[in-house]
Amino acid sequence: MESIKVSLSQDQMPQKWYNIQADLKTPLDPPLHPGTGQPLTPPDLTPIFPMALIEQEVSQERYIAIPDEVLQVYAQWRPTPLMRARRLEQALGTPAKIYFKNESVSPAGSHKPNTAVPQAFYNMKSGIKRIATETGAGQWGSAMSLATNYFGLRCSVYMVRVSYDQKPYRKSMINTWGAEIFASPSQQTNAGRAALAADPNSPGSLGLAISEAVEDAATHADTNYALGSVLNHVCLHQTIIGEEAIKQMQIAGDKPDVVIGCIGGGSNFAGIAFPFLREKINGLDLRVLAVEPASCPSVTKGVFAYDFGDTAHLAPIIKMHTLGHTFMPPGIHAGGLRYHGMAPLVSRVAADGLIEAVAVHQLDCFAAGLLFARTEGIIPAPESTHAIQAAVAEALKAKEEGKERVILFNLSGHGHFDMSAYDAYLAGQLTNYDYPQAMVDQALAQLPQIGLASSRM
Ligand SMILES: *Cc1c(COP(=O)(O)O)cnc(C)c1O
């Protein structure tokens, strides 16, 4: 038999997360208080985050030890396999070798439990009893509902109304793991009640659901808030993906020429890419490619500037690639990856020229996703099809050039709860959508005026 899988044993699991802040050429700009515009201090954050996570957010240590209790839970599904996509290679007729890291094997079906588990752990350690969080498409809400079980916490999820109605099985999953779920806007919070008073049929938005979860956490002493992407500590926790992949590529006897991940808020990309970027900073020759949807092109069309993290201006102002916090993602787009901003760490490495970014169209992504499902068997999450599309494009370029190139991408999750998006694709109901530059410019006029220079990439 030909070898197509590299598995690590439980005791080969990396015991440290990698903090790329230690190796940045340009340090991150400080997050600012949404009310005062002054740099945030830890006391601004303690009402909603435990101190251990606040410390990780600003840490300059290169490595942070993963607590034993977290490693023990990771072992329920980690290390995840590194797969060689031989059948996909054959279908493409490419001389390139395509590897993928399979994060779809977690109980929630994506990479998100990699951070949900430590976040639940540190909250439990600090005496917190309940987590309040938001979810858009449902993946983060599922991951947090799963993770809180391992540490005896309760969990309340505010799910954007339109997704709550469209994806009933996400709610079933969240309830099965014992969490409570509210369609947002809800009657639970002032933010929700105000939105319902203004429009009883409000479809909700991610920005509003964040406002509800933050308000819930800030007004209950035993409750904290948790975010599933964007923040530095989330990117940190995800680096277990890349640390495992480095070991596995060595065992496979190959060195990637290009490492690829899709970007929504940036966390799964950070997870696979940052450990490889450490090697690149230390002289290894490789390309690192972030793939975003053409309908929500924060890195390729946005500006690198200070912006609000949410619509209600409750979340910190952060320096990131942004389309403006008033950005409205087009409803015709089937996948996730719809946040207006990008993780400050991913934005920084893009601005420093360490990574490349491309925007791709959803019809090409679904076509690549279908090819992947029909060759490798796994039905990818619509988000993950962006990474697959870019990997396929790289493999076809290698074929054209007659080069044996080594491609590695992150399969961030499976699409078992996104079958309606596949139905829409197969029925020919999806179209491509380029977010117009005029709308970008309009939204950018709404950026906070804090007198700090912003620069177009
Ligand atoms: C949430 C999610 C993403 C996008 O979030 P990132 O923080 O950019 O990783 C991508 N893929 C899957 C499967 C997800 O659940």
Side-chain angles (χ1 to χ4, degrees):
M1 274 194 305
E2 191 178 19
S3 175
I4 55 159
K5 187 194 286 171
V6 180
S7 305
L8 298 176
S9 67
Q10 193 179 312
D11 44 63
Q12 287 172 300
M13 187 154 58
Q15 316 241 320
K16 291 175 186 144
W17 293 302
Y18 168 57
N19 179 17
I20 199 168
Q21 290 197 64
D23 291 323
L24 288 179
K25 169 167 90 176
T26 324
L28 291 184
D29 297 280
L32 308 178
H33 191 284
T36 64
Q38 293 304 306
L40 278 184
T41 57
D44 294 324
L45 295 172
T46 46
I48 58 168
F49 290 119
M51 195 47 91
L53 292 177
I54 297 171
E55 282 166 3
Q56 288 181 0
E57 193 63 19
V58 297
S59 172
Q60 302 294 312
E61 294 293 315
R62 183 165 288 111
Y63 294 102
I64 294 178
I66 306 175
D68 289 344
E69 295 91 330
V70 171
L71 286 171
Q72 194 61 61
V73 175
Y74 277 174
Q76 298 289 132
W77 72 93
R78 306 206 70 86
T80 64
L82 176 80
M83 304 290 301
R84 173 91 183 269
R86 282 297 282 141
R87 291 171 188 276
L88 176 61
E89 290 168 15
Q90 279 154 9
L92 295 171
T94 177
K97 296 179 179 176
I98 306 176
Y99 289 90
F100 66 95
K101 184 73 169 145
N102 187 1
E103 290 297 307
S104 80
V105 300
S106 83
S110 77
H111 66 288
K112 288 194 171 74
N114 296 334
T115 184
V117 167
Q119 290 195 49
F121 169 75
Y122 290 119
N123 276 292
M124 178 275 289
K125 285 300 259 187
S126 73
I128 287 296
K129 305 293 182 213
R130 183 170 69 98
I131 297 293
T133 195
E134 81 289 336
T135 197
Q139 291 135 322
W140 173 243
S142 318
M144 205 65 223
S145 309
L146 162 80
T148 43
N149 278 293
Y150 292 118
F151 301 107
L153 301 179
R154 289 177 292 129
C155 180
S156 307
V157 179
Y158 294 86
M159 183 167 183
V160 178
R161 163 61 77 181
V162 52
S163 306
Y164 182 93
D165 292 335
Q166 277 170 4
K167 305 194 172 198
Y169 293 119
R170 282 287 172 190
K171 170 178 180 290
S172 314
M173 251 177 132
I174 288 167
N175 286 146
T176 299
W177 275 317
E180 60 177 357
I181 179 165
F182 305 104
S184 169
S186 77
Q187 292 290 350
Q188 300 298 114
T189 66
N190 288 330
R193 285 186 292 269
L196 286 174
D199 175 8
N201 298 315
S202 165
S205 71
L206 198 54
L208 179 57
I210 294 177
S211 305
E212 286 208 87
V214 169
E215 180 185 327
D216 183 336
T219 52
H220 294 91
D222 69 347
T223 303
N224 267 348
Y225 171 70
L227 193 62
S229 187
V230 180
L231 299 179
N232 303 341
H233 67 264
V234 177
C235 294
L236 172 79
H237 299 155
Q238 293 296 349
T239 58
I240 182 112
I241 302 172
E243 294 292 8
E244 285 179 5
I246 284 178
K247 288 191 180 192
Q248 288 164 313
M249 289 299 300
Q250 271 163 4
I251 294 170
D254 271 320
K255 175 196 94 49
D257 296 301
V258 57
V259 175
I260 300 170
C262 66
I263 46 172
S267 73
N268 89 86
F269 169 78
I272 193 151
F274 286 1
F276 283 99
L277 283 181
R278 173 189 61 218
E279 308 302 309
K280 180 171 170 142
I281 291 165
N282 288 321
L284 188 71
D285 179 27
L286 89 167
R287 292 168 53 222
V288 179
L289 182 58
V291 191
E292 64 183 6
S295 58
C296 183
S298 52
V299 179
T300 53
K301 271 198 182 165
V303 291
F304 187 35
Y306 271 106
D307 194 11
F308 291 104
D310 67 334
T311 32
H313 302 183
L314 292 176
I317 302 172
I318 48 182
K319 178 97 177 267
M320 59 183 174
H321 281 96
T322 180
L323 293 166
H325 60 283
T326 52
F327 167 75
M328 269 293 160
I332 54 161
H333 192 259
L337 312 179
R338 293 183 184 192
Y339 186 61
H340 66 272
M342 184 48 54
L345 281 171
V346 173
S347 296
R348 186 74 262 167
V349 295
D352 286 349
L354 280 169
I355 66 166
E356 303 160 38
V358 286
V360 293
H361 283 290
Q362 69 171 349
L363 292 181
D364 298 332
C365 293
F366 274 101
L370 234 65
L371 177 64
F372 187 77
R374 291 175 186 179
T375 51
E376 296 296 316
I378 303 171
I379 299 175
E383 294 87 345
S384 313
T385 63
H386 292 70
I388 297 172
Q389 200 282 335
V392 166
E394 291 288 331
L396 291 176
K397 198 167 72 185
K399 179 179 176 177
E400 221 174 270
E401 296 168 0
K403 292 222 173 89
E404 193 195 87
R405 211 167 267 140
V406 179
I407 299 164
L408 168 64
F409 74 89
N410 193 38
L411 184 76
S412 52
H414 66 60
H416 296 181
F417 294 88
D418 304 290
M419 296 316 297
S420 59
Y422 279 90
D423 280 343
Y425 174 70
L426 292 169
Q429 290 162 354
L430 296 184
T431 51
N432 284 337
Y433 181 80
D434 257 313
Y435 196 63
Q437 188 62 47
M439 281 169 75
V440 179
D441 294 340
Q442 224 173 56
L444 294 179
Q446 310 284 319
L447 291 186
Q449 301 299 312
I450 44 184
L452 286 154
S454 67
S455 57
R456 187 175 289 269
M457 260 280 283

